Amino acid sequence: MGSKSQTSTMDPMQESYIEDIIRPGADKIADMEFEQFTGDRVAGLTQLQKDALGGYGALSLPSELAEASGVYRGIANRTPQERMAMLGNIQDQMAPMLNRQFAQQGVGTEAQAIKANAFGDRRDVYEGERQAALDARAYDLASRQLGAEDQSAMRSASALAASGLQGLQSTRDILGAQMAAGETERALTQADLDAAYNDYLAEMQFPLTQFGVLSGGAQAFPAGIGTTTTRDPMGTFGMGLQALGGLGMGGMGPFAAFAGSGITKNPFGVG
C-alpha cells in the first residue's frame, strides 16, 4: 500500500462566512463598553400614599383616653379627706329630704316631745340619739350616692375611651385603604419601569444573541470540507525494491522458499 497525506485548506465559502460575517460580530462585541442603565428602577410613592403616610405620622392617642384616664385617676387617688368632704356635700344636699323622711317616720313627733321638755332631764340624750340616727342615715345614703356616682363616672369614662379607640381604628382603616388604592397606581408605574429595563437588557444582550446564532451557522458546513487526501505512488514501488533486496541475503528473504531449485539469491543483484 502507498502512504497517504492530507492537506487542509479552508473552503472559500467557509472562509468568507467567517471573515465577512462572524469576525465583524466578534469585533463589535469586543469593542462594546459597559452601558449603565440610567432609568428609574423603582416607582416612588404616589401622592395618595404620601398623604396616607403623613396621616399615619400624625396619629396619636385620642384625647378621650386622657379624659377617661383622668376620671379613673381621680377616683383612685382620692384622699380620705377629699372623700369626707364629698360626703359632707352630699349630706348637706340630702338634709332637707332626710328631715322630711324622719318626720314621716315619727321621729318628728319625738322631736316635738323633746322640744316640749316631755322627757325632762333626758332631753339631751334623746336629742343626741335622734341626731346620731339622722347622721348615720345621712352618711349611709351619702356613701351609696357617692359610690353610684363613681360607678357612673367610670362607666362613662370606659365608654369615652372605647369611643376614642374606635375613632383611632377608623382613621387607621381609612389610611390603609388610601395606601392600598395608591399601591394600585404605583404598580402600574412600576410595570412601565420594568418594561423599560427589560428593553434595555434585550438591547444589551442582542449582539451576543446574534453572534451565537451566526456562530451556530458555521456548523452547517460539512466536516472535512477543504481537506485533500493524496496517495504516494512511490510508496508501493519502494516496498517492491525492499522485497527484492532481501534476495541477496544468503537465501534469506522472500526467495528462500526456492532454494531447492537453485535460486538462492537475487538474480538481479550484482555479483
Side-chain angles (χ1 to χ4, degrees), residues 59 62 64 161-174:
L59 286 178
E64 291 86 349
S163 175
L165 291 176
Q166 184 177 2
L168 177 62
Q169 184 60 48
S170 297
T171 302
R172 292 178 59 186
D173 292 341
I174 292 173

Side-chain angles (χ1 to χ4, degrees), residues 3-108:
S3 62
K4 296 180 181 179
S5 63
Q6 292 183 345
T7 57
S8 298
T9 58
M10 184 176 295
D11 182 85
M13 183 184 299
Q14 186 178 20
E15 183 177 5
S16 175
Y17 184 84
I18 294 176
E19 294 295 331
D20 299 339
I21 298 178
I22 296 182
R23 187 179 297 279
D27 293 340
K28 180 179 180 181
I29 294 174
D31 294 338
M32 285 181 61
E33 295 183 359
F34 175 75
E35 182 177 346
Q36 185 175 2
F37 182 73
T38 58
D40 294 331
R41 287 288 291 118
V42 179
L45 296 176
T46 64
Q47 187 60 46
L48 185 60
Q49 289 178 313
K50 292 179 181 179
D51 294 340
L53 285 179
Y56 276 115
L59 286 178
S60 62
L61 290 177
S63 60
E64 291 86 349
L65 290 182
E67 296 179 19
S69 177
V71 172
Y72 281 97
R73 189 181 299 108
I75 295 174
N77 297 334
R78 184 182 297 162
T79 64
Q81 293 78 7
E82 291 173 341
R83 186 173 186 278
M84 293 303 298
M86 296 177 69
L87 289 174
N89 292 333
I90 296 175
Q91 287 175 336
D92 292 340
Q93 296 173 3
M94 298 176 65
M97 179 192 67
L98 289 176
N99 286 329
R100 288 193 299 271
Q101 288 180 351
F102 269 65
Q104 293 173 358
Q105 295 173 0
V107 179

Side-chain angles (χ1 to χ4, degrees), residues 9 12 26 35 42 55 63 96 111 126 128 148 170 179 187 221 237 239 255 257 266:
T9 58
E35 182 177 346
V42 179
S63 60
Y126 281 104
S170 297
M179 286 293 293
F221 292 94
F237 181 73
M239 291 181 63
F255 291 96
N266 187 351

